[in-house]
């Protein structure tokens, strides 16, 4: 009989809260030693290590080529149905439209006092490496969610790493999506070894300035170990979601939406938070019915999540439900309440917020427009979804006229003297003389 965790927020003990709130991110320490060894191998042996690790973890031929060839790109298109190609084009168009709206002005200056112009110059990061996972599913959607903001930002070199299958080939939908996004540099390598290759470079993979993209605990562990070698970007780990609902919600729709993120893997989290125990009971029953019909391995993943990092939390009020959701700071939040826009005003922490029963996680994950690569593990308290901004940095720009310099100098000299920085003050005083 399937088990679904049921908690009452008021009586939940601190151990239960800690387990739920730390979710599977905590398991990363279990793989750190083996990931350290993978990184060492890649650093010391480059491509040779990549080929042998590919063989070990992904059962690939040892003599495979790491870079996807032009011929493979061309073949990919012929392997896909017209329907899949159309769906990819449709989704990519929406995602591109949304991300184009995020482009900042290349240069912004304001005259903050007469003759003193200050501002920022937006400069795309020179090279980025995007991790597209494959272990538990194909992710062409991840490919366009990561590539579109990078290409839109104007990054000169956008490359992708993704695990190959046993024949040493990459998912054709990923290759087709890459072509539509204008990305031509793809390497057939996944896991911690791919992250190490992007951070240090190998004979065939040039190192990059920044990484982006979610992955398994091996990928996350590698990023944590390499954070001082390369910009590791957004902390995106195992998927997690909350459906926040009240008594007005349709239990069938809540149950369906709750299972969406749970099907990513046993380490995902999927919680229903509600102050209506009738809704909780009905959802519990419907999830069990729906789960029985799922094919493997999705059935096992959903079952594991519901007795692991997921389940149902019953609170005393809508306000308390929102408070629990804010504490959890989930990656995906869906609100199915009578007045979703009012509930929105109670939310402070969530990677994305979907309003109402007609906005399930699925449409946001693929085609609504905003990015589906979102902060996990509580990082939504300080991080945002992947965006064009992730691939742009800003240089401050200042221009002063002589009159403005004369006006500002006495104040700067005073503060420089106070801090004991003689040269700073002298540079102004001696210039005047
Ligand atoms: P993955 O590509 O991250 O991992 C597969 C790779 O892990 C393999 O290619 C292999 O090289 C390596 N590996 C496998 N077993 C190993 C071992 N024992 N030791 C060392 N390396 C090993 O794909 P995945 O497993 O499907 O993980 C994807 C993750 O990304 C999931 O947790 C999913 O929830 C998450 N995800 C997150 C988002 C987001 O926006 N946050 C979106 C999509 C997916």
């Amino acid at each position: 009989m399937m088990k679904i965790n049921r908690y009452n927020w008021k009586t939940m003990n601190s151990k239960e809260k800690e387990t739920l709130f730390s979710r599977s991110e905590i398991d990363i320490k279990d793989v750190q030693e083996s990931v350290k060894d993978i990184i060492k191998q890649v650093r010391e042996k480059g491509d040779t290590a990549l080929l042998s690790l590919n063989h070990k973890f992904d059962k690939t031929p040892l003599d495979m080529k790491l870079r996807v060839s032009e011929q493979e790109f061309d073949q990919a298109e012929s392997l896909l149905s017209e329907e899949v190609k159309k769906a990819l084009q449709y989704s990519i168009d929406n995602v591109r439209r949304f991300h184009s709206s995020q482009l900042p002005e290349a240069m912004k200056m304001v005259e903050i006092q007469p003759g003193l112009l200050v501002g920022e110059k937006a400069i795309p990061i020179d090279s980025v490496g995007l991790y597209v996972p494959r272990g538990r599913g194909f992710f062409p959607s991840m490919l366009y969610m990561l590539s579109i903001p990078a290409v839109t930002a104007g990054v000169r070199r956008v490359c992708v790493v993704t695990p190959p299958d046993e024949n040493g080939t990459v998912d054709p939908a990923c290759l087709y999506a890459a072509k539509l996004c204008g990305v031509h540099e793809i390497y057939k390598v996944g896991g911690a070894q791919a992250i190490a290759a992007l951070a240090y470079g190998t004979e065939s993979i040039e190192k990059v300035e920044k990484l982006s993209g979610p992955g398994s605990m091996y990928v996350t562990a590698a990023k944590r170990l390499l954070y001082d070698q390369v910009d590791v970007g957004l902390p995106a780990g195992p998927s997690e979601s909350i459906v926040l609902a009240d008594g007005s919600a349709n239990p069938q729709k809540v149950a369906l939406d709750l299972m969406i993120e749970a099907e990513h893997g046993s380490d995902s989290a999927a919680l229903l938070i509600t102050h209506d125990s009738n809704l909780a009971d009905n959802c519990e029953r419907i999830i069990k019915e729906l789960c029985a019909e799922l094919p493997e391995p999705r059935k096992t993943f959903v079952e594991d999540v519901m007795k692991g990092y997921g389940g149902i939390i019953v609170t005393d009020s809508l306000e308390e439900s929102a408070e629990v959701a804010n504490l959890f700071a989930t990656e995906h939040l869906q609100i199915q309440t009578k007045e979703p826009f009012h509930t929105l005003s109670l939310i402070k922490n969530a990677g994305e917020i979907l309003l109402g029963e007609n906005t399930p996680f699925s449409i946001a994950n693929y085609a609504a427009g905003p990015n589906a690569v979102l902060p996990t593990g509580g990082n939504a308290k300080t991080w945002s979804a992947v965006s064009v901004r992730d691939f742009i940095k800003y240089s401050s720009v200042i221009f002063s006229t002589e009159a403005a310099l004369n006006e500002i100098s006495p104040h700067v000299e005073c503060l420089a003297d106070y801090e004991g920085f003689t040269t700073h003050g002298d540079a102004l005083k001696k210039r005047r003389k």
Side-chain angles (χ1 to χ4, degrees):
M1 184 63 176
M2 182 183 175
K3 178 180 181 293
I4 298 182
N5 291 329
R6 171 81 79 102
Y7 307 101
N8 187 309
W9 180 247
K10 279 281 183 301
T11 57
M12 253 178 110
N13 63 43
S14 52
K15 177 99 187 64
E16 287 170 332
K17 283 185 187 170
E18 195 192 316
T19 306
L20 276 196
F21 279 58
S22 58
R23 45 278 216 198
S24 68
E25 304 279 335
I26 208 162
D27 295 341
I28 283 163
K29 71 176 185 307
D30 301 337
V31 301
Q32 261 186 11
E33 285 314 307
S34 59
V35 168
K36 263 188 201 162
D37 181 54
I38 292 172
I39 293 172
K40 188 166 172 277
Q41 288 184 49
V42 175
R43 200 174 176 189
E44 288 171 2
K45 299 194 191 122
D47 284 354
T48 311
L50 295 183
L51 290 170
S52 102
L53 291 161
N54 265 2
H55 179 68
K56 180 174 178 189
F57 296 121
D58 297 301
K59 317 265 177 302
T60 53
L62 274 167
D63 59 352
M64 64 175 280
K65 290 262 173 297
L66 287 168
R67 185 165 177 172
V68 171
S69 66
E70 273 311 314
Q71 198 189 0
E72 285 172 288
F73 272 110
D74 293 342
Q75 266 167 6
E77 192 165 346
S78 64
L79 294 172
L80 296 173
S81 68
E82 285 310 310
E83 207 182 358
V84 168
K85 285 194 262 185
K86 241 194 219 161
L88 283 170
Q89 183 70 66
Y90 177 94
S91 306
I92 285 171
D93 286 348
N94 267 0
V95 173
R96 193 177 275 135
R97 266 196 290 272
F98 175 76
H99 287 83
S100 297
S101 75
Q102 290 178 332
L103 253 182
E105 283 177 56
M107 180 92 166
K108 204 167 149 188
M109 298 287 275
V110 281
E111 190 169 16
I112 54 161
Q113 67 180 58
L116 186 59
L117 291 169
V118 296
E120 288 175 329
K121 177 178 166 146
I123 308 168
I125 290 171
D126 189 57
S127 58
V128 299
L130 310 175
Y131 188 87
V132 175
R134 171 155 189 178
R136 281 170 269 171
F138 302 128
F139 285 111
S141 55
M142 279 298 107
L143 193 140
Y144 59 77
M145 287 291 177
L146 295 165
S147 302
I148 289 172
V151 171
T152 306
V155 173
R156 177 188 63 82
R157 175 175 166 239
V158 179
C159 74
V160 167
V161 287
T162 190
D165 66 10
E166 292 186 8
N167 303 315
T169 58
V170 166
D171 167 43
C174 277
L175 297 186
Y176 184 72
K179 220 169 169 180
L180 293 181
C181 295
V183 172
H184 309 285
E185 190 182 340
I186 300 192
Y187 297 99
K188 299 182 258 183
V189 57
Q193 56 275 25
I195 301 300
L198 290 171
Y200 288 114
T202 69
E203 297 89 325
S204 52
I205 306 180
E206 203 185 321
K207 65 184 272 193
V208 297
E209 308 286 355
K210 180 166 185 170
L211 305 175
S212 189
S216 57
M217 56 185 158
Y218 307 105
V219 171
T220 309
K223 286 196 203 164
R224 289 203 189 158
L225 290 165
L226 290 166
Y227 78 95
D228 57 354
Q229 174 66 26
V230 62
D231 183 336
V232 295
L234 171 74
S239 305
E240 53 190 48
S241 61
I242 287 177
V243 179
L244 196 164
D246 64 12
S248 72
N250 175 324
Q252 171 88 2
K253 290 180 183 168
V254 171
L256 283 167
D257 291 351
L258 198 59
M259 287 166 62
I260 293 173
E261 294 301 325
E263 77 163 346
H264 273 287
S266 303
D267 55 359
S268 297
L271 288 168
L272 164 63
I273 305 179
T274 182
H275 60 287
D276 188 295
S277 51
N278 267 340
L279 179 77
D281 292 344
N282 288 331
C283 284
E284 190 170 332
R285 176 180 48 77
I286 297 168
I287 291 168
K288 286 178 182 166
E289 286 164 14
L290 292 170
C291 196
E293 294 162 13
L294 280 178
E296 287 296 357
R298 306 294 164 197
K299 181 169 183 285
T300 302
F301 290 161
V302 176
E303 282 173 354
D304 286 350
V305 169
M306 291 301 156
K307 65 179 182 218
Y309 300 111
I312 300 173
I313 300 179
V314 179
T315 63
D316 284 348
S317 64
L318 178 64
E319 286 69 22
E320 192 173 64
S321 295
E323 206 181 304
V324 179
N326 283 330
L327 284 172
F328 193 92
T330 186
E331 179 190 13
H332 308 270
L333 172 67
Q334 206 225 6
I335 295 174
Q336 292 199 38
T337 56
K338 192 156 179 265
E339 293 179 63
F341 280 91
H342 165 70
T343 311
L344 173 65
S345 69
L346 306 174
I347 300 302
K348 287 191 290 191
N349 300 320
E352 75 177 5
I353 307 167
L354 310 178
L355 302 178
E357 64 173 24
N358 297 316
T359 321
F361 299 122
S362 314
I363 65 163
N365 281 347
Y366 289 95
N371 211 286
V373 183
L374 301 156
T376 59
N379 287 300
K381 284 181 183 162
T382 55
W383 287 79
S384 316
V386 163
S387 71
V388 167
R389 292 179 288 272
D390 282 61
F391 300 102
I392 289 178
K393 66 208 174 65
Y394 296 84
S395 293
S396 301
V397 180
I398 305 169
F399 171 81
S400 175
T401 59
E402 193 178 351
L405 177 66
N406 289 337
E407 153 85 22
I408 201 171
S409 286
H411 306 291
V412 176
E413 286 163 25
C414 167
L415 292 174
D417 282 350
Y418 184 83
E419 290 189 354
F421 283 98
T422 321
T423 317
H424 278 67
D426 282 355
L428 304 180
K429 285 179 211 149
K430 292 187 175 157
R431 178 182 251 106
R432 273 207 302 278
K433 282 172 199 157

